[in-house]
Each structure stands twice: as C-alpha cells, then as structure tokens.
Amino acid sequence: KQKSIIIGAGIAGIAAAIRLAVKGYLVDVYEANSYPGGKLSEITLKGYRFDAGPSLFTLPEQVEELFLLAGKNPSDHFEYSKLDVACHYFWEDGKSIKAYGDVNAFAEEVNTKLGEPSENIRKALRSSAYIYEHLAPLFMHRSLHQWNTWVNPQALRSYLKMGKLGIFETMNAANERLFQQDKTVQLFNRYATYNGSNPYETPATLNIIPHLEFNIGAFFPKKGMHDITQSLYQLALDLGVRFHFNAKVEEILVENDQAVGIKVNQNEVKSDLVINNMDMVNAYKTILKKQKQPKKLLEQPKSSSALIFYWGIKKVFPELDLHNILFSDDYKEEFHHIFEKNAIYQDPTVYINITSVHKKDDAPEECMNWFTMINVPNNQGQDWDVLIKEARKNIISKINRILKTDLEPLIEVEQILEPRTIESKTSSANGALYGNSSNNKYAAFLRHANYSSKLKKLYFCGGSVHPGGGIPLCLLSAKIMTELIKK
Ligand code: FAD
C-alpha cells in the first residue's frame, strides 16, 4: 500500500483521510492538539456543552458523501434536520423578524414586519440561485489552477453571463438596488460575514450565499455541530486511518523537489504523499520555511476574526431561537471599524447561538447555553485585553436593551475565545476564521492551489486554500485535492 501523511486533523484533514483510505492508501494523520476537529470542536463547562467554532451548517450532502464513499448509509451515522427558522433578527427599535426556511413564509414576514415587497425577496433568491448555478461548478468543485477548469462548455457559458454574476459591483450596492428597506439591505449584507468579508467591499458575487441558506436550507446536526467532527473521525477510524495526537509536525521533508515525509517529535517519518491541512501562511513560516515562499499569496488580506463568550445562562428566553442576530444601528461604521480601523465598533452586531433550543441536554434545566459572538478584526497586535473588556460591556448592554433584561447576574459560567487564542489553538494566521478575505474580486484566484507547483507529492486542503473557508468549502477542498492526486 502507498503511504500518505496528513498534517492536521481539521475537518478538511479528516475528509482527506477518509477519501485517501477509500482509495486504498495507508493514512496517518498527525495533529498538534490532543483532539480532532480543529476549529470544529466543543467545550463543556459545568453542565453546559458548547460547539466551540462553527454554528451554521449548510450543504450537508458534503458530509453524507463521505459516508456513501465508504459504502455506509449516512443516516445510520450522522443525523440532522432542516431548520424551520434559519435566524431570528432583532433591531434596537423593537422590530424583529424570523427568517423562515420556507421562502414564501420568509418573504411574507419581511413584507409584513419591514414593509419590503415580498417579490423583492423572491427576486433576490432567484438571482442568488442563478449565481450558484453558474459559479459553483467552476469555483467550488474544481481546482482553479488546472487549464481544463477554464476551457470547457460549462465555463464558456458562465463567461457569457459575467454581468449578471455580480462581479462588477459590491454586495451592498447590489442589495441597495434590490431592496427598498434599509433593514432588508442590512439583513442581506450580513451574508458577507459568512466568509469573514466586508459587504461594502466584497463583490456582489457573494450574494450566492443566501441561496445556500434559503433555497437549499440551513440545518442542525441532531447531536450538535461537533458531531460533524465526531462522526467523520469515527468513519476515518473505521477505515483504518491512524491518528497521532499531540504530534506537532516540525517540517515537511523534501528531497529532489519532492515531499518525502515529515519530521515530528524529532523523528523522521517517510511517506509517498504528504497532505497539509495546516493554515498555509503559518505552514510556510514553519514546516515549509526552507522552501521558496509564494509571497504574493501569503500577503493577501485575511478574513475577520471573532470574539466569543461562551455563557451559561440561568434563564430561558423563549423569544430566542437557535440562531439570533441583534443588529448594529450603523452597519457601515461597524465594518469600517473591523476592516479599516482594526478596531471594534461600540455598537457591534451580536450573534447568539443557542443549541439547547434544539438539543435540550446542552444546558441544565431552565438554563440556556449562549455562544455569544461578534465579528472583530483579525489579530494585528491590538491591545485585546482592553478591547475585549470594552466589547463585553457593550454586548451586555445591547442585549439588555433589546431583550429588556439584566444579563450580568444570569451569567453562571463564562469562557472566552478571541483572535489570539483562535490562532494559538488551530494555527490560523492572525486568528482569521476563513483564511483570506474575499474583499476584492480577484480573491478567489489568490488562494493557494490544492497542490504544490514546486514540490511533487505535496497537496493542500483546508480553509486557507482553494475554494476557501467554512465547513462545506473545506470538505470540497479535500475532494478537489484527492481528485488531483488521481491525475
Ligand atoms: P482547522 O480547523 O483550521 O484545523 C487545522 C488543524 O491543523 C488544527 O487542528 C491544528 O491543530 C492542526 N495543525 C496546525 N499546525 C499543525 C502542525 N504543525 N502539526 C500538526 N497539526 C497541526 N464555518 C461554517 O461553515 N459555519 C460557521 O458557522 C462557522 N463559524 C465559525 C465560527 C468560529 C468561531 C470559527 C473559529 C470558525 C467558523 N467557521 C464556520 C469556519 C470553519 O470552522 C473553518 O473554515 C473550518 O473548520 C476549518 O477547517 P480546516 O480543515 O481548514 O482546519
């Protein structure tokens, strides 16, 4: 059997392990942490369980495909359901709307509560589906670095539609054209944050994202987001993949322009293939530091990061759903702070994810597990201790105003995740959540390829390479990469 080594047990690393094991490789995964999943992990605090990172689950077929590949029935191993309400939105003026999973119900709700004609919602979602149909096959399912991605009938058809794919205007400009009401524009601008970008900069092409959430659906794994990691990790074990934890790889060994293995814990381990799932910027700084550096790619601006308070709350708020957003009064200023000033706006948009709404045992009786998050700049050496203290105060007072409560005495337990710890726990450059930002129209082309053009037998997967961050794209990166090996 050919021997392959994977560096990192992030979700893309696990997916790559499954795909290679199915192809008959002997697979060894080396992971610096003591647990699998990277950002997709969980924490428990005094009777509360929290999904530590990702909270929104889209494109579940990318997970299911891995079970199918291994000849298993996905629903025997991983269960999930479609959400009736994708998100509950709140504003300071007392308005709130539920984004129903059913498009017509959502359009009706936006019409009744915000005065936005329902047809505008349907039109926006049709346009989103159109972008998906034309761009997903090119950008999500194939390597951008192979000529046959660009020269085929499907690609040629897409070139003819360039004008309608949002490449030439910003997301905010397109949404201002589509919608009458500022609140609807704000709601749709929020999708830029799904890959850590700025709606006032990112091309309207990213209006592809509402298609995933509304036309296809938002989902919740029955056992929580961490079950994506757990069930795929178990599948990899069943396929004979060997995981080595607390094993921080020190170097990718290279001989005659070919990757031949790794150095880990002072030992050299040889292999026929090396796959890197570690963030590319930090990989070039550490395990590839002797190799030629692709400077331009590494210097690309990074996505935003996050500040999260995992709070055990001694009360049930019946008005809150699984996903809740308490919007900032000045969205433009908020993004100006994040991307231009590298600071946190005084009135941030607050996201509260509460899995105990669906999974009761995630919190004690009459309590809720609040994953309370705001978008923040990535780590540029700011004085985070000061920023976090200030932000905590502003977040709590915003929650108090909108939910008409006094939160502080209800917080029973607290743990914090912030840009510095995101970087130290998963080695993401600057603690960015999604690798590079998509704040310009060339960003998709400036991500690292899924293979090394300099070194043979070296391949890449994960959120910092093509096609990008977020669970579905990370899973697709493993697929694209494995297909390149076949060639
Ligand atoms: P990572 O999770 O980055 O893991 C890389 C692994 O490599 C780590 O385990 C690390 O320890 C290991 N490693 C690094 N260096 C070495 C080394 N030298 N040797 C050995 N191992 C090493 N996505 C969504 O789809 N929906 C969401 O709602 C969402 N929300 C998010 C919220 C937060 C707070 C965060 C942090 C992320 C969120 N994301 C979301 C993004 C998503 O989590 C990531 O895109 C995805 O999990 C990244 O997976 P990955 O395979 O690139 O690896």
Side-chain angles (χ1 to χ4, degrees), residues 7-12 30-33 37-39 53-56 247-249 277-278 308 425-427 433-434 462-463 469-472 474:
I7 304 164
I11 200 63
Y30 291 85
E31 166 56 54
N33 290 327
K39 298 184 181 76
S55 54
L56 178 69
K248 187 171 185 170
V249 174
N277 173 220
M278 177 187 184
I308 297 139
K425 277 184 160 181
T426 59
S427 205
L433 302 192
Y434 301 95
I471 300 165
C474 287

Coordinates of all heavy atoms in Angstrom, one line a residue, residues 7-12 30-33 37-39 53-56 247-249 277-278 308 425-427 433-434 462-463 469-472 474, ligand 1:
I7 N -1.1 16.3 7.6 CA -0.7 17.2 8.7 C -2.0 18.0 9.1 O -2.4 18.9 8.4 CB 0.4 18.2 8.3 CG1 1.6 17.3 7.8 CG2 0.8 19.1 9.4 CD1 2.6 18.1 7.0
G8 N -2.5 17.7 10.3 CA -3.7 18.4 10.8 C -5.0 17.6 10.7 O -5.3 17.1 9.6
A9 N -5.7 17.5 11.8 CA -7.0 16.8 11.8 C -8.1 17.8 11.9 O -9.1 17.6 12.6 CB -7.0 15.8 13.0
G10 N -8.0 18.9 11.1 CA -9.2 19.8 10.9 C -10.2 19.1 10.1 O -9.9 17.9 9.7
I11 N -11.3 19.7 9.8 CA -12.4 18.9 9.2 C -12.0 18.5 7.7 O -12.3 17.4 7.3 CB -13.7 19.7 9.2 CG1 -14.9 18.8 8.9 CG2 -13.7 20.9 8.2 CD1 -15.1 17.7 10.0
A12 N -11.1 19.4 7.1 CA -10.6 19.0 5.8 C -9.6 17.9 5.8 O -9.6 17.0 5.0 CB -10.0 20.3 5.1
Y30 N -1.3 13.4 11.6 CA -0.6 14.0 12.7 C -1.2 15.3 13.1 O -1.3 16.2 12.3 CB 0.9 14.2 12.3 CG 1.6 12.9 12.1 CD1 1.6 12.2 10.9 CD2 2.3 12.3 13.2 CE1 2.2 11.0 10.8 CE2 2.9 11.1 13.0 CZ 2.8 10.4 11.8 OH 3.5 9.2 11.7
E31 N -1.7 15.4 14.4 CA -2.4 16.5 14.8 C -1.7 17.1 16.1 O -1.5 16.4 17.0 CB -3.9 16.1 15.1 CG -4.7 17.1 15.9 CD -4.8 18.5 15.4 OE1 -5.1 18.7 14.2 OE2 -4.4 19.5 16.1
A32 N -1.5 18.4 16.1 CA -0.8 19.1 17.2 C -1.7 19.0 18.5 O -1.1 18.9 19.6 CB -0.5 20.6 16.8
N33 N -3.0 19.2 18.3 CA -3.8 19.2 19.5 C -4.0 17.7 20.0 O -3.7 16.8 19.4 CB -5.2 19.8 19.2 CG -5.1 21.3 19.0 OD1 -4.3 21.9 19.6 ND2 -5.9 21.8 18.1
G37 N -10.6 17.8 14.9 CA -11.6 18.8 14.5 C -11.2 20.2 14.4 O -11.8 21.0 13.7
G38 N -10.0 20.5 14.9 CA -9.5 21.9 14.8 C -10.6 22.9 15.3 O -11.0 22.8 16.5
K39 N -11.0 23.8 14.4 CA -12.0 24.8 14.8 C -13.3 24.2 15.1 O -14.1 24.8 15.9 CB -12.1 25.9 13.7 CG -10.9 26.6 13.4 CD -11.1 27.7 12.4 CE -9.8 28.5 12.1 NZ -8.9 27.7 11.2
G53 N -16.7 26.3 17.7 CA -16.5 27.2 16.5 C -17.7 27.4 15.6 O -18.7 28.1 16.0
P54 N -17.8 26.7 14.5 CA -18.9 26.8 13.5 C -20.2 26.5 14.2 O -20.3 25.6 15.0 CB -18.6 25.8 12.4 CG -17.2 25.4 12.6 CD -16.8 25.7 14.0
S55 N -21.2 27.3 13.8 CA -22.6 27.0 14.4 C -23.6 26.9 13.3 O -24.7 26.3 13.5 CB -23.0 28.2 15.3 OG -22.8 29.4 14.5
L56 N -23.3 27.3 12.1 CA -24.3 27.2 11.0 C -23.8 26.1 10.0 O -22.7 26.1 9.5 CB -24.4 28.5 10.2 CG -25.3 28.4 9.0 CD1 -26.8 28.3 9.5 CD2 -25.2 29.6 8.1
A247 N 0.9 15.7 18.3 CA 2.0 15.5 17.4 C 2.1 16.7 16.4 O 1.5 16.7 15.4 CB 1.8 14.2 16.6
K248 N 2.9 17.7 16.9 CA 3.0 18.9 16.1 C 4.2 18.7 15.0 O 5.3 18.5 15.4 CB 3.4 20.1 17.0 CG 3.4 21.4 16.3 CD 3.5 22.5 17.3 CE 3.4 23.8 16.5 NZ 3.3 24.9 17.4
V249 N 3.8 18.7 13.8 CA 4.8 18.5 12.7 C 5.7 19.6 12.7 O 5.3 20.8 12.7 CB 4.0 18.2 11.4 CG1 5.1 18.1 10.2 CG2 3.2 17.0 11.5
N277 N -3.0 20.2 5.9 CA -4.3 20.8 6.3 C -4.0 22.0 7.2 O -4.9 22.7 7.6 CB -5.1 19.7 7.0 CG -6.4 20.3 7.6 OD1 -6.8 19.9 8.7 ND2 -7.1 21.2 6.9
M278 N -2.8 22.3 7.5 CA -2.5 23.4 8.4 C -2.6 24.7 7.5 O -2.4 24.7 6.3 CB -1.0 23.3 8.8 CG -0.5 24.4 9.6 SD 1.3 24.2 9.9 CE 1.7 25.5 11.0
I308 N -15.8 35.5 21.1 CA -16.9 34.7 21.6 C -16.9 34.6 23.1 O -15.9 34.3 23.7 CB -16.8 33.3 20.9 CG1 -16.9 33.4 19.4 CG2 -17.9 32.4 21.5 CD1 -16.0 32.5 18.7
K425 N -4.7 28.0 19.1 CA -5.3 26.7 19.2 C -5.3 25.9 17.8 O -5.3 24.7 17.8 CB -6.8 26.8 19.6 CG -7.0 26.9 21.1 CD -8.5 26.9 21.3 CE -8.8 26.5 22.8 NZ -10.3 26.5 23.0
T426 N -5.4 26.7 16.7 CA -5.5 26.0 15.4 C -4.5 26.4 14.4 O -4.5 26.0 13.3 CB -6.9 26.2 14.8 OG1 -7.2 27.6 14.6 CG2 -8.0 25.6 15.7
S427 N -3.6 27.4 14.8 CA -2.6 27.9 14.0 C -3.1 28.6 12.7 O -2.4 28.6 11.7 CB -1.7 26.7 13.5 OG -0.4 27.1 13.2
L433 N -10.9 33.6 10.7 CA -11.8 32.4 10.7 C -11.7 31.7 9.4 O -11.9 30.5 9.4 CB -13.2 32.8 11.0 CG -13.5 33.6 12.3 CD1 -15.0 33.6 12.5 CD2 -12.8 33.0 13.5
Y434 N -11.6 32.4 8.3 CA -11.8 31.8 7.0 C -10.6 31.9 6.0 O -10.8 32.0 4.8 CB -13.0 32.4 6.3 CG -14.3 32.3 7.2 CD1 -14.7 33.3 8.0 CD2 -15.0 31.1 7.1 CE1 -15.8 33.1 8.8 CE2 -16.2 31.0 7.9 CZ -16.6 32.0 8.7 OH -17.7 31.8 9.5
G462 N -8.1 22.5 3.2 CA -8.5 23.3 4.4 C -8.9 24.7 4.0 O -8.9 25.1 2.8
G463 N -9.3 25.5 5.0 CA -9.9 26.8 4.9 C -9.0 27.9 4.3 O -9.4 28.9 3.8
G469 N -12.8 29.1 3.1 CA -13.2 28.7 4.5 C -14.6 28.3 4.6 O -15.4 28.5 3.7
G470 N -15.0 27.8 5.8 CA -16.4 27.3 6.0 C -16.4 25.8 5.8 O -15.6 25.3 5.0
I471 N -17.2 25.1 6.6 CA -17.2 23.7 6.5 C -17.4 23.1 5.1 O -16.6 22.3 4.7 CB -18.3 23.1 7.5 CG1 -18.0 23.5 8.9 CG2 -18.3 21.6 7.4 CD1 -19.1 23.3 9.9
P472 N -18.5 23.5 4.4 CA -18.7 22.9 3.1 C -17.5 23.1 2.1 O -17.1 22.2 1.4 CB -19.9 23.6 2.5 CG -20.5 24.4 3.6 CD -19.5 24.6 4.7
C474 N -14.3 23.7 3.0 CA -13.2 22.9 3.4 C -13.4 21.4 3.0 O -12.4 20.8 2.6 CB -13.1 22.9 5.0 SG -12.5 24.5 5.6
Ligands
FAD1 P1 -8.7 23.9 11.1 O1 -10.0 23.7 11.8 O2 -8.1 25.2 11.0 O3 -7.7 22.8 11.7 C1 -6.4 22.7 11.3 C2 -5.7 21.7 12.2 O4 -4.4 21.6 11.9 C3 -5.8 22.1 13.7 O5 -6.4 21.0 14.4 C4 -4.4 22.3 14.1 O6 -4.1 22.0 15.4 C5 -3.7 21.4 13.1 N1 -2.3 21.8 12.9 C6 -1.8 23.1 12.6 N2 -0.5 23.0 12.5 C7 -0.1 21.8 12.8 C8 1.2 21.1 12.8 N3 2.3 21.8 12.6 N4 1.2 19.8 13.1 C9 0.1 19.1 13.3 N5 -1.1 19.7 13.3 C10 -1.2 21.0 13.0 N6 -17.8 27.6 9.2 C11 -19.1 27.3 8.8 O7 -19.2 26.6 7.8 N7 -20.1 27.8 9.5 C12 -20.0 28.6 10.6 O8 -21.0 28.9 11.2 C13 -18.7 28.9 11.0 N8 -18.5 29.7 12.1 C14 -17.2 29.8 12.6 C15 -17.1 30.4 13.9 C16 -15.8 30.4 14.5 C17 -15.7 31.0 15.9 C18 -14.7 29.8 13.8 C19 -13.4 29.8 14.5 C20 -14.9 29.3 12.6 C21 -16.1 29.3 12.0 N9 -16.3 28.7 10.7 C22 -17.6 28.4 10.3 C23 -15.2 28.3 9.8 C24 -14.8 26.8 10.0 O9 -14.7 26.5 11.3 C25 -13.5 26.6 9.3 O10 -13.4 27.1 8.0 C26 -13.1 25.1 9.3 O11 -13.4 24.4 10.4 C27 -11.6 25.0 9.0 O12 -11.2 23.6 8.9 P2 -9.8 23.2 8.4 O13 -9.8 21.9 7.9 O14 -9.2 24.3 7.5 O15 -8.8 23.2 9.7

